[in-house]
Amino acid sequence: MINPNTTATMTDKIAACAGAVAGSDVILTGVTSQIGPESIESYYDEALSVPGVLQAVQRGEREGVDGYVIACFGDPGLDAARELAAGPVIGIAEAAMQAASHLGSGFSIVTTLARTIGQSAHLAERYGMQRFCRGIHACEIPVLDLDTDPDARKIITEACREAIETDRSDAVVLGCAGMADMCGEISKELGVPVVDGVSAATLTVQSLVTMGLRTSKRGEYATPPVKNYSTGAG
């Protein structure tokens, strides 16, 4: 379970949410990125988070890890990670949208800052989810404030309520790994399915590993060719 930002307390929360749904025979490890931003709220942040994600996958491959979850709603470094990994790599945005598409005819995404709405829209297009995604809404709470703002859960709940009423959606996707622990209470209050991508991605990886399926190395996700890379250090 890779947290692409460098905030360890968020990793702990994400891993706890994943562990709550993982099978009893699953060994799940939360990994905090060693390089990159403390939170991911822009294209710039996302780009700087990718080296840390790939470093974590490389380390996991040396240790014999069976599969990976990229626990950031931007799914940073997903394709590159799939090139490096033998087992499945799943991003939480992809998993959450796929899960929500099974639960109704349309869903809304509620994310953190308005500036990230475009990133979520691009992912919905990439994953073929435009038909199901009826709207993307922001609650305007920075990622690092999700755990410190006493009103965060209330604000997010109201944003979800407004989204389903505005979009006439059947379900909500929470657009940040830092919201993973809120889905149950929000779903109960609003009476609609609320999907947390951390749980969805964890169970997707678990099911693929259980079926004995691994990342295909025949085409684009073949292991990268060996070559020299410059770090620019010095």
Side-chain angles (χ1 to χ4, degrees):
M1 176 68 59
I2 301 171
N3 174 13
N5 72 42
T6 59
T7 301
T9 53
M10 186 172 295
T11 306
D12 294 339
K13 178 170 69 172
I14 293 167
C17 291
V21 299
S24 59
D25 59 340
V26 173
I27 300 172
L28 188 146
T29 303
V31 176
T32 305
S33 182
Q34 297 302 298
I35 51 176
E38 62 180 356
S39 63
I40 300 172
E41 298 168 309
S42 66
Y43 289 111
Y44 183 75
D45 291 341
E46 185 174 305
L48 291 182
S49 74
V50 172
V53 170
L54 301 184
Q55 183 185 72
V57 173
Q58 288 174 321
R59 184 167 61 252
E61 289 301 288
R62 292 193 298 268
E63 296 172 355
V65 169
D66 293 313
Y68 305 85
V69 170
I70 297 179
C72 169
F73 203 77
D75 293 353
L78 179 61
D79 289 320
R82 285 174 172 167
E83 288 183 337
L84 293 177
V89 184
I90 302 295
I92 66 169
E94 180 179 23
M97 292 185 207
Q98 292 284 354
S101 74
H102 301 314
L103 304 176
S105 61
F107 62 80
S108 299
I109 297 172
V110 173
T111 186
T112 50
L113 304 182
R115 66 175 298 159
T116 68
I117 287 176
Q119 291 165 279
S120 296
H122 293 158
L123 289 177
E125 181 179 3
R126 168 182 172 170
Y127 299 141
M129 289 288 115
Q130 307 99 309
R131 180 166 71 88
F132 296 99
C133 184
R134 294 184 177 175
I136 305 171
H137 306 259
C139 63
E140 294 299 346
I141 300 177
V143 171
L144 296 182
D145 289 355
L146 291 171
D147 284 335
T148 59
D149 187 338
D151 295 323
R153 192 185 302 269
K154 178 181 178 181
I155 292 170
I156 294 166
T157 300
E158 291 310 307
C160 290
R161 189 192 309 276
E162 181 177 350
I164 59 176
E165 291 175 354
T166 300
D167 301 337
R168 300 182 65 83
S169 293
D170 302 314
V172 175
V173 167
L174 297 182
C176 178
M179 300 177 181
D181 59 338
M182 301 182 185
C183 63
E185 290 188 15
I186 296 175
S187 178
K188 183 177 180 180
E189 181 166 342
L190 300 185
V192 299
V194 177
V195 181
D196 149 42
V198 172
S199 298
T202 298
L203 292 175
T204 301
V205 171
Q206 180 179 315
S207 64
L208 292 170
V209 171
T210 300
M211 289 187 287
L213 298 175
R214 297 161 70 84
T215 302
S216 173
K217 296 302 175 183
R218 183 177 183 275
E220 290 187 30
Y221 291 149
T223 302
V226 176
K227 64 181 69 174
N228 294 322
Y229 292 89
S230 174
T231 64

